Amino acid sequence: MRIVNAKSEKVWVVFMPHNIKDGKTCWERVFCWVLSKLHKNFSHVVVFKRSIYPGNVIAVNTCSNNISIEELSLKQLFGILTNTNNTAVVADIQIAPIKAKGLLTCVSVAKSILGVTKASIITPYQLYKYLKGKENGRKESQTKHADR
């Protein structure tokens, strides 16, 4: 059975900087190296969707080793949205078939929730640029890496 929303639904897509300084295990060192290649303020993305309970939202947060789905209050969401290190975009959910190929990442999960099927979007910054109606962010993100 497939459930389709009759009306357009808005979600908050929040882009965040990474906060891992250095890794102790081999996997953590590889993960830190990957993070160092991403745009400084766009290395993670979390999607927040309205809950069926008034005054709450559902947070879908995919990390390197798990998917966290939790309910937060609007006050908690407001704290996340007003954090000056985070960048938020309000987006519409588009109903689209899920095409899960390759790694399960925060970006791939956010794209699935939003119905974004563009395969060239693989980083949080590229998804941000796409949602803002610009190109996928490759050229701009490469030039901004020199600013670090």
Side-chain angles (χ1 to χ4, degrees), residues 81-124:
L81 294 175
T82 57
N83 182 328
T84 57
N85 294 323
N86 298 339
T87 304
V89 175
V90 176
D92 287 314
I93 292 179
Q94 305 295 325
I95 303 300
I98 296 175
K99 297 179 180 177
K101 296 177 183 173
L103 293 174
L104 185 64
T105 66
C106 59
V107 175
S108 66
V109 170
K111 285 171 49 178
S112 293
I113 291 169
L114 297 167
V116 175
T117 58
K118 196 167 184 177
S120 62
I121 298 173
I122 57 173
T123 69

Side-chain angles (χ1 to χ4, degrees), residues 58-97:
I58 303 295
V60 181
N61 186 3
T62 307
C63 295
S64 60
N65 60 351
N66 68 1
I67 297 175
S68 167
I69 300 173
E70 58 184 320
E71 194 159 11
L72 303 174
S73 69
L74 286 177
K75 183 178 180 180
Q76 290 171 302
L77 174 63
F78 183 73
I80 293 167
L81 294 175
T82 57
N83 182 328
T84 57
N85 294 323
N86 298 339
T87 304
V89 175
V90 176
D92 287 314
I93 292 179
Q94 305 295 325
I95 303 300

Side-chain angles (χ1 to χ4, degrees), residues 8-74:
S8 176
E9 190 172 356
K10 302 273 187 201
V11 295
W12 294 272
V13 184
V14 180
F15 300 89
M16 304 171 176
H18 60 273
N19 59 6
I20 298 175
K21 301 294 180 205
D22 59 353
K24 292 178 178 53
T25 67
C26 180
W27 169 246
E28 288 173 342
R29 286 192 298 274
V30 169
F31 188 66
C32 290
W33 179 83
V34 170
L35 287 177
S36 73
K37 304 303 177 197
L38 297 175
H39 189 285
K40 184 171 78 170
N41 292 322
F42 294 86
S43 60
H44 190 61
V45 60
V46 180
V47 177
F48 297 89
K49 180 183 179 305
R50 262 184 236 270
S51 171
I52 60 171
Y53 301 106
N56 289 342
V57 294
I58 303 295
V60 181
N61 186 3
T62 307
C63 295
S64 60
N65 60 351
N66 68 1
I67 297 175
S68 167
I69 300 173
E70 58 184 320
E71 194 159 11
L72 303 174
S73 69
L74 286 177

